[in-house]
Amino acid sequence: MALFGKKTQPTPVQTPREPEKVAPENSYLGRELIIDRDQAIIGYELFFRPGTTLKAKRINERNAVLAQIAKRLAEDPKAEVTYPDEITDANLRDDDGNEVKEVTLSEMLYALKTKGVAQSLGQHLGFIKIHPHQLGDELRGIPAVKFPLQLDLAEILEAIQKEASEDEDLEDSKKDVKNPDASDEPKVPEIIEKLEKLANIGYKFVLTGLTEVFDGLEDILPKFRYVKLDVHQVENAASLIEFCKATPLPRDTKSPAKKGAKTGDDGAVMKMIATHVETPEDFHKARDLGFDAYEGFYFIKPDPELSLHRGDDYRKILKLLTLLLSSPELHELVDEIELNPVVAKHLMVIAEVDAGRKRAKPENIRDAAVISGVKRITRWTQLLLYADSKAKVSLESTPLLQLVCVRAFFMELASGKLPAGAGLGSSDLAFLVGGLSLIDNLFDESSRDILSKFNLPGVVVDAIADRSGVLGGLLTLAEAAEIGDLQKCQQLCSGELGLLTLDDVAQDSLLAIKTFVAQTQLAPDEDVWEQAEAPVDE
């Protein structure tokens, strides 16, 4: 037994600091492409998740309680305290205990302005879903030229019916009062007046949920410039499309007439968008019916009519990609590139761009390979798998190319937040899985059959073919974010990918889009946000 023991010094009591306020997370979730008849991207429907402002408020309230508990324990270490539950997306509730289901305008504005959603669109449009009660002054914070606003017909009719019932009750209460100045003309519903007022200052509206012509539609339809029809829900789509396109629209100097189109007095034409277009058959049907644009993922399916000219050239590119992944000798790489004229041509171009910084102009394929490096050549080779050199659509507007490239960049970014050795391999493998995830749609064969012919890591093949392992989970997460599947994203982020959050999904998705935009040399718009403000913690 020691004669002398260490004397412990009491820890000085410090007054707990006030917790810093937590800012709302990014409410952005994903986006679905909208493509025109020429197979070029014209815009995206943007998806947002609700409750980000409320979650920040609840976290700040909890942190304030924790600070009070810490202060109490500092004064009396034996005090009995009860710690509040942690705030998560799963247990988030409003003041009435209900699940939060509606995204507020302030949350969307915060994502659009502060988190870079608007800048991620490049030259394309962003279609945003709103509700009738959101047609107020706060809406003016969203730039009209960039964001068509989407309203559901059922909600519009409900608002009109509710107002009519309130007016009827008011008339009944005044039926004994004589009013000689009363007009016999029917009152214009308030929501129609709001739509017209906002349309007059440049806003474009999108009508959804229309399935048939009905009495009163002629009063609602002229307030809209886009109509979305579900190709699987509308029985007489051709006649409904004809009715919509024949609707006279108000004067709009920002929508020039197209030659041969049905127009109003100034040439403004209602655009018809087919939704839930998931197969080539859906697309051909919608195109033949007369739709102007198409929303869905039909373009990732093999379609002989929309072929990417698959064949030996594409197999050579895939073979080159496999070689690139095996740390080839320089002479092997040069020989293989020379067998791929398309890759060789693009490699010389990107090498000349790189040479501007390195002051070493390439004279041949060997010089280009040295200047650009294996990693850059590898990624450009993957990109070329999904690019149709004979198409007239620019790279940034090619839907299949954009989808798979953004997916690959997203997976690479997200993988960096996962621990090493968790069956992931590396972030480069995550990029590879995203880049090759649609390989079966290029060659009309199963992905396992195609990839098994090349020397690819087993985790890559299994992730693509079976969605197995951590890489398969990341690929599933990327696909869920692309279609705005909030429930699936929550499930994955709380399960096998538990170190990722929904805020990570939003941030990495947007950074992946930004990376793609930069690589295709598309300059994003610079929108003016004079009235847009971030949500405040109430």
Side-chain angles (χ1 to χ4, degrees):
M1 182 175 178
L3 295 176
F4 301 97
K6 290 184 178 180
K7 185 176 181 181
T8 58
Q9 296 293 331
T11 303
V13 177
Q14 296 180 350
T15 304
R17 295 180 179 179
E18 285 293 322
E20 294 184 3
K21 292 290 185 180
V22 174
E25 294 178 352
N26 191 350
S27 63
Y28 174 78
L29 182 62
R31 61 186 191 174
E32 187 168 15
L33 288 80
I34 300 175
I35 306 165
D36 67 13
R37 295 177 71 89
D38 295 326
Q39 302 302 293
I41 300 170
I42 61 172
Y44 309 85
E45 178 169 352
L46 301 177
F47 302 116
F48 300 89
R49 61 186 174 101
T52 51
T53 302
L54 180 62
K55 183 180 179 182
K57 179 182 177 183
R58 293 283 188 261
I59 290 175
N60 287 326
E61 291 171 346
R62 180 178 184 272
N63 288 343
V65 173
L66 292 176
Q68 290 298 320
I69 290 174
K71 182 177 180 181
R72 184 178 178 187
L73 290 174
E75 297 170 352
D76 180 8
K78 297 183 179 180
E80 294 186 3
V81 295
T82 301
Y83 289 93
D85 293 336
E86 186 176 352
I87 305 300
T88 67
D89 292 295
N91 65 17
L92 187 65
R93 296 292 184 271
D94 63 18
D95 292 338
D96 297 323
N98 299 318
E99 182 182 355
V100 184
K101 295 183 177 180
E102 185 175 302
V103 185
T104 66
L105 279 179
S106 60
E107 287 172 334
M108 286 188 282
L109 278 168
Y110 184 60
L112 293 172
K113 177 189 177 184
T114 310
K115 299 299 184 181
V117 176
Q119 288 72 23
S120 73
L121 294 173
Q123 305 294 333
H124 303 129
L125 298 173
F127 290 69
I128 296 177
K129 179 182 178 181
I130 63 170
H131 302 281
H133 66 83
Q134 294 174 324
L135 292 170
D137 290 338
E138 186 184 10
L139 189 65
R140 298 193 183 193
I142 298 177
V145 69
K146 193 73 173 177
F147 298 96
L149 304 173
Q150 185 170 300
L151 289 157
D152 186 70
L153 177 61
E155 293 186 6
I156 295 172
L157 295 177
E158 182 181 353
I160 293 174
Q161 181 60 44
K162 181 180 179 181
E163 183 182 349
S165 298
E166 292 174 352
D167 290 344
E168 186 177 342
D169 293 340
L170 184 61
E171 287 298 322
D172 289 342
S173 66
K174 296 182 178 180
K175 61 183 179 182
D176 296 329
V177 179
K178 294 182 180 180
N179 185 4
D181 297 327
S183 173
D184 293 332
E185 294 184 6
K187 178 184 175 183
V188 177
E190 182 181 8
I191 187 172
I192 300 299
E193 290 182 335
K194 288 182 177 179
L195 288 170
E196 185 170 359
K197 181 179 179 182
L198 289 165
N200 287 339
I201 58 174
Y203 283 91
K204 304 293 188 297
F205 293 98
V206 187
L207 183 65
T208 65
L210 178 64
T211 58
E212 60 183 359
V213 178
F214 59 88
D215 291 340
L217 179 60
E218 62 276 6
D219 296 325
I220 298 173
L221 209 52
K223 312 306 175 188
F224 292 83
R225 289 303 171 89
Y226 302 88
V227 175
K228 286 186 176 183
L229 300 182
D230 187 335
V231 293
H232 303 290
Q233 298 294 327
V234 180
E235 293 184 0
N236 299 313
S239 60
L240 190 52
I241 292 171
E242 185 177 358
F243 180 87
C244 291
K245 287 195 172 185
T247 300
L249 298 179
R251 178 175 177 78
D252 181 4
T253 56
K254 296 180 181 179
S255 296
K258 286 190 176 181
K259 186 176 181 181
K262 295 181 180 181
T263 67
D265 293 338
D266 71 328
V269 183
M270 186 169 292
K271 302 296 182 184
M272 305 300 299
I273 302 174
T275 64
H276 297 91
V277 185
E278 303 300 334
T279 66
E281 291 76 20
D282 290 340
F283 164 71
H284 295 309
K285 176 183 176 182
R287 183 190 59 185
D288 294 343
L289 285 170
F291 282 97
D292 303 297
Y294 317 91
E295 181 176 348
F297 290 94
Y298 70 95
F299 58 88
I300 70 172
K301 303 292 196 293
D303 182 2
E305 188 172 330
L306 301 176
S307 172
L308 287 173
H309 308 286
R310 307 175 187 91
D312 290 339
D313 288 344
Y314 280 83
R315 293 187 184 278
K316 287 179 181 179
I317 294 176
L318 190 57
K319 184 179 179 182
L320 170 60
L321 183 59
T322 305
L323 176 66
L324 286 162
L325 294 167
S326 64
S327 302
E329 296 291 337
L330 180 59
H331 69 88
E332 293 179 294
L333 180 57
V334 171
D335 290 344
E336 197 64 42
I337 291 174
E338 289 177 342
L339 294 176
N340 287 269
V342 174
V343 176
K345 179 183 71 173
H346 286 285
L347 176 58
M348 291 298 293
V349 173
I350 64 172
E352 287 179 3
V353 173
D354 291 337
R357 296 190 300 270
K358 299 180 181 180
R359 298 179 182 178
K361 184 177 177 61
E363 299 292 338
N364 49 46
I365 293 298
R366 187 184 186 283
D367 292 345
V370 172
I371 290 171
S372 296
V374 171
K375 186 171 183 177
R376 185 157 172 78
I377 298 172
T378 301
R379 298 200 165 182
W380 191 254
T381 301
Q382 278 186 265
L383 185 148
L384 289 175
L385 275 169
Y386 301 94
D388 185 355
S389 60
K390 298 181 181 179
K392 297 180 180 179
V393 178
S394 59
L395 283 180
E396 70 271 8
S397 294
T398 303
L400 185 62
L401 172 65
Q402 179 167 144
L403 177 72
V404 77
C405 288
V406 170
R407 179 183 292 183
F409 286 125
F410 167 79
M411 290 185 61
E412 179 185 36
L413 291 165
S415 69
K417 297 179 174 64
L418 298 177
L424 185 64
S426 70
S427 58
D428 287 334
L429 290 186
F431 183 95
L432 182 63
V433 169
L436 296 178
S437 59
L438 295 175
I439 197 71
D440 53 334
N441 297 315
L442 292 178
F443 297 101
D444 298 337
E445 296 179 45
S446 73
S447 55
R448 186 172 290 279
D449 288 343
I450 299 169
L451 299 175
S452 64
K453 301 173 184 177
F454 302 94
N455 187 28
L456 293 170
V459 290
V460 171
V461 178
D462 292 341
I464 296 171
D466 305 323
R467 300 299 190 268
S468 63
V470 176
L471 287 171
L474 274 176
L475 178 55
T476 303
L477 179 63
E479 293 169 329
E482 287 162 5
I483 62 174
D485 189 340
L486 176 58
Q487 185 176 0
K488 189 68 174 179
C489 289
Q490 287 177 325
Q491 177 186 340
L492 289 164
C493 289
S494 61
E496 57 184 315
L497 303 176
L499 291 181
L500 295 175
T501 67
L502 291 176
D503 196 48
D504 292 330
V505 174
Q507 304 291 15
D508 289 345
S509 294
L510 291 172
L511 185 53
I513 295 167
K514 181 180 179 181
T515 304
F516 173 80
V517 169
Q519 293 205 2
T520 54
Q521 300 180 0
L522 176 63
D525 284 350
E526 295 182 0
D527 291 317
V528 178
W529 296 86
E530 294 178 352
Q531 296 177 327
E533 296 180 357
V536 295
D537 184 23
E538 298 177 355

